[in-house]
Amino acid sequence: ERGRIENELLERGFPTASVTTEVDPAEGLVRFVAVPGSQVYVDDISISGNVFTREEVIRRELAVAPGDLWNAELVQQSEQGLYRTGLFSNVAIQPVDGVLDSRHESMAVDLTERESGSLDFGVSYNTGEGLHIDSEITQRNLGGRGETLALGIDGFFGAKEDIFQAGQAKAVYTRPHFLYEDIDLVADAFAQQDLQSYDQFSYNRLG
């Protein structure tokens, strides 16, 4: 019960609220004493640490805006939302001066970005099918917009008339918050060539 009262005060914009318990053994009563402190509003929001990521990408993950009450639960949701993008290794949302001691506080969003690009590469060889290459290159923060583009190839290469013997090339594009906040756009395309050695023919497929 004490925790519920304290959380309700925090959600109503009393970030320094505290609740203590007083027990009266003679009457068998438990009394909860709430000290709400001052109600705090968000004055403005500053963002730092985003070297590549555009500011609008960060702001769309924030559950609070200037003029809102300083809601501790929404501040935590904002931090979790920024972590879920996969773009940041560290997120801290706090007052600019580090202390909630006035009715109007400036909010600071301090970020550390992750490496957004990756390359996976594998190669092997066998006499039956030739050289096998399996690779993928991914950029998870395309243009600083939080969009992902992955290009990959998994195929066999030989020294015959057709260098590319068999395999698949693919591209996958993801755009978060497409049209609506909770809807992402995912588009993929592929090109595939299969070699049927027993019939001595191959076929191509696009998608």
Side-chain angles (χ1 to χ4, degrees):
E1 184 67 20
R2 173 184 171 184
R4 185 190 64 80
I5 296 171
E6 195 168 79
N7 286 336
E8 186 169 337
L9 288 169
L10 293 174
E11 292 172 10
R12 290 176 182 244
F14 296 94
T16 61
S18 63
V19 179
T20 58
T21 305
E22 295 181 355
V23 180
D24 187 340
E27 297 185 11
L29 296 176
V30 177
R31 183 180 296 108
F32 298 98
V33 180
V35 182
S38 298
Q39 199 170 34
V40 178
Y41 289 84
V42 178
D43 191 9
D44 55 51
I45 300 175
S46 62
I47 298 172
S48 62
N50 53 316
V51 179
F52 301 106
T53 309
R54 298 187 182 187
E55 190 166 299
E56 60 264 27
V57 173
I58 298 163
R59 289 190 182 274
R60 76 186 178 197
E61 300 295 337
L62 300 180
V64 292
D68 290 352
L69 288 169
W70 192 293
N71 185 320
E73 182 177 353
L74 294 182
V75 169
Q76 185 178 34
Q77 288 180 17
S78 300
E79 291 182 337
Q80 292 171 348
L82 288 165
Y83 275 120
R84 278 196 300 270
T85 66
L87 302 176
F88 309 104
S89 60
N90 187 66
V91 178
I93 300 179
Q94 57 192 353
V96 168
D97 61 1
V99 183
L100 289 166
D101 56 359
S102 63
R103 285 185 58 81
H104 295 272
E105 288 282 357
S106 295
M107 177 180 287
V109 181
D110 299 318
L111 306 165
T112 302
E113 290 181 325
R114 292 183 183 275
E115 290 290 337
S116 59
S118 64
L119 172 64
D120 297 318
F121 184 82
V123 61
S124 62
Y125 180 82
N126 66 64
T127 56
E129 296 174 316
L131 183 68
H132 176 220
I133 295 178
D134 182 6
S135 64
E136 182 174 276
I137 184 169
T138 304
Q139 173 53 249
R140 297 180 180 84
N141 195 8
L142 191 65
R145 297 185 297 269
E147 301 168 4
T148 298
L149 178 63
L151 304 173
I153 187 168
D154 182 4
F156 292 92
F157 298 79
K160 299 180 181 179
E161 182 178 343
D162 294 327
I163 296 177
F164 184 66
Q165 299 296 312
Q168 182 183 87
K170 65 179 181 178
V172 181
Y173 168 79
T174 304
R175 180 179 177 182
H177 301 287
F178 180 70
L179 298 180
Y180 299 98
E181 182 178 348
D182 55 351
I183 296 178
D184 296 346
L185 171 67
V186 180
D188 63 84
F190 69 90
Q192 181 170 314
Q193 176 171 304
D194 293 318
L195 179 64
Q196 307 293 341
S197 58
Y198 52 84
D199 286 330
Q200 295 300 311
F201 76 90
S202 65
Y203 68 90
N204 300 319
R205 188 170 64 182
L206 302 175

